[in-house]
């Protein structure tokens, strides 16, 4: 049996040091929000006529009055561009509609026309080839504020629900003990989530990595794994204390963590294998 409780201050000290580093990164660099949280437009262009660099794209966007544009590679000769909220909508063509087709023009069309002029080729009909717009999305300031608010509420409600659930599970040991375990679970969740936040603050400063709604999903996944692992250990502690109410809490903790250690390592290892597989063969 491993003496986890006896060396708890070493473990807590290491975790606290990592937590402080993450807090420093978060305070200095802060998270770099995507358009879902700041409002703006996002679109992807693929260039097939010739090689185009990020510098070429930035120069073109600057010439069009978009100094704020952020350009990120999304594949071979393909770029994801984020700007302030563009005016108008992308063209809507109803190919099956009878008679003349009405095309709704917007600022994105001006950008596409300039890309065609600089990096594309003109075919026999006068159309542009070699430049393809693959997607376009825009989020207004109202929607972005609502997304941020709902994400914060979701995390807060989840934290309260976790504490209530664990307090209920340990109700036979007294309400005070139940809420102690519930508070410990919340601290563990915040610890794990905060380290991820600090890491993405560093990545945002270093590599321009943005946080979006997918990031919220990832944070909730981290919280889910953290809570699940914590509840498994706490439930084993509860079973140990129920069998022998007079066993010292340190001994119950050591026995429970030793019994669940292999399960925790295996679960994390399988998740790591899945992530590596997605990185290697999951596509762009």
């Amino acid at each position: 049996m491993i003496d986890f409780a006896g060396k708890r201050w070493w473990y807590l000290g290491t975790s606290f040091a990592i937590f402080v580093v993450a807090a420093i990164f978060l305070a200095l660099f802060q998270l770099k929000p995507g358009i879902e949280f700041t409002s703006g437009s996002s679109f992807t262009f693929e260039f097939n006529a010739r090689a185009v660099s990020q510098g070429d794209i930035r120069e073109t966007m600057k010439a069009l009055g978009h100094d704020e544009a952020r350009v990120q590679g999304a594949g071979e000769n393909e770029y994801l561009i984020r700007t302030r909220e563009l005016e108008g909508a992308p063209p809507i063509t109803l190919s099956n509609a009878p008679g003349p087709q009405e095309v709704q023009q917007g600022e994105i069309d001006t950008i596409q026309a300039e890309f065609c002029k600089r990096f594309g080729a003109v075919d026999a009909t006068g159309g542009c080839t070699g430049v393809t717009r693959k997607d376009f999305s825009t989020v207004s300031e109202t929607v972005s504020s609502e997304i941020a608010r709902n994400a914060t509420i979701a995390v807060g409600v989840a934290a309260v629900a976790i504490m209530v659930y664990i307090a209920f599970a340990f109700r036979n040991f007294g309400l005070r003990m139940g809420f102690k375990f519930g508070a410990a679970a919340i601290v563990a969740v915040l610890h794990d989530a905060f380290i991820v936040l600090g890491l993405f603050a560093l990545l945002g400063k270093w590599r321009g990595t943005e946080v979006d709604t997918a990031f919220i999903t990832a944070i909730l996944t981290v919280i889910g794994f953290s809570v699940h692992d914590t509840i498994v250990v706490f439930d084993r502690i509860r079973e140990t204390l129920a069998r022998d109410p007079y066993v010292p809490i340190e001994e119950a903790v050591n026995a429970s963590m030793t019994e669940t250690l292999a399960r925790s390592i295996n679960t994390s290892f399988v998740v790591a294998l899945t992530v590596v597989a997605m990185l290697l063969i999951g596509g762009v």
Side-chain angles (χ1 to χ4, degrees):
M1 184 169 61
I2 303 174
D3 186 17
F4 290 103
K7 298 180 175 61
R8 61 185 179 274
W9 295 115
W10 289 99
Y11 303 133
L12 291 173
T14 302
S15 294
F16 183 72
I18 297 174
F19 182 87
V20 169
V21 172
I24 292 174
F25 287 156
L26 196 58
L28 291 178
F29 307 138
Q30 301 182 346
L31 295 173
K32 191 173 185 179
I35 64 171
E36 291 91 339
F37 300 110
T38 60
S39 77
S41 298
S42 173
F43 44 93
T44 303
F45 276 95
E46 182 179 12
F47 302 91
N48 301 315
R50 68 179 182 87
V52 179
S53 68
Q54 287 187 351
D56 295 332
I57 302 297
R58 292 193 184 96
E59 182 181 346
T60 303
M61 295 301 297
K62 187 175 182 179
L64 292 170
H66 288 281
D67 296 347
E68 84 291 350
R70 296 196 295 270
V71 182
Q72 179 181 346
E76 186 176 357
N77 229 26
E78 184 176 329
Y79 297 97
L80 171 64
I81 306 169
R82 294 182 176 89
T83 67
R84 57 170 171 75
E85 187 177 353
L86 299 181
E87 298 178 2
I92 300 174
T93 304
L94 304 176
S95 57
N96 297 326
Q101 298 179 18
E102 182 179 352
V103 178
Q104 183 180 1
Q105 296 292 322
E107 194 174 356
I108 183 64
D109 301 292
T110 304
I111 295 173
Q112 183 167 357
E114 186 65 22
F115 282 160
C116 287
K117 177 182 176 182
R118 296 193 180 203
F119 312 120
V122 179
D123 58 21
T125 62
C128 175
T129 60
V131 176
T132 305
R133 189 177 75 219
K134 304 186 70 172
D135 59 52
F136 176 87
S137 61
T138 186
V139 179
S140 67
E141 185 175 356
T142 301
V143 173
S144 62
S145 300
E146 184 177 352
I147 291 174
R149 183 180 67 252
N150 290 342
T152 303
I153 292 174
V155 173
V157 170
V160 173
I162 291 167
M163 179 175 289
V164 172
Y165 171 78
I166 295 179
F168 178 79
F170 281 82
R171 64 190 182 280
N172 294 334
F173 299 95
L175 189 62
R176 183 178 179 183
M177 176 69 79
F179 275 105
K180 277 186 176 181
F181 276 90
I186 296 301
V187 170
V189 166
L190 293 177
H191 167 271
D192 296 343
F194 209 82
I195 289 176
V196 176
L197 292 174
L199 175 61
F200 270 79
L202 177 62
L203 291 175
K205 178 67 175 180
W206 179 33
R207 299 190 58 183
T209 303
E210 297 180 346
V211 299
D212 51 15
T213 51
F215 177 78
I216 298 299
T217 303
I219 286 292
L220 291 176
T221 303
V222 170
I223 290 175
F225 271 92
S226 177
V227 170
H228 186 260
D229 203 48
T230 301
I231 288 178
V232 168
V233 176
F234 282 3
D235 194 55
R236 190 60 58 89
I237 295 174
R238 181 176 60 85
E239 292 176 355
T240 303
L241 293 175
R243 288 195 303 267
D244 185 2
Y246 300 102
V247 65
I249 186 65
E250 290 83 1
E251 185 176 334
V253 168
N254 289 335
S256 301
M257 292 189 67
T258 301
E259 292 171 2
T260 58
L261 182 61
R263 175 220 164 261
S264 298
I265 293 175
N266 291 337
T267 301
S268 300
F269 181 66
V270 169
V271 174
L273 289 179
T274 306
V275 173
V276 170
M278 292 175 65
L279 287 172
L280 296 179
I281 61 176
V284 177

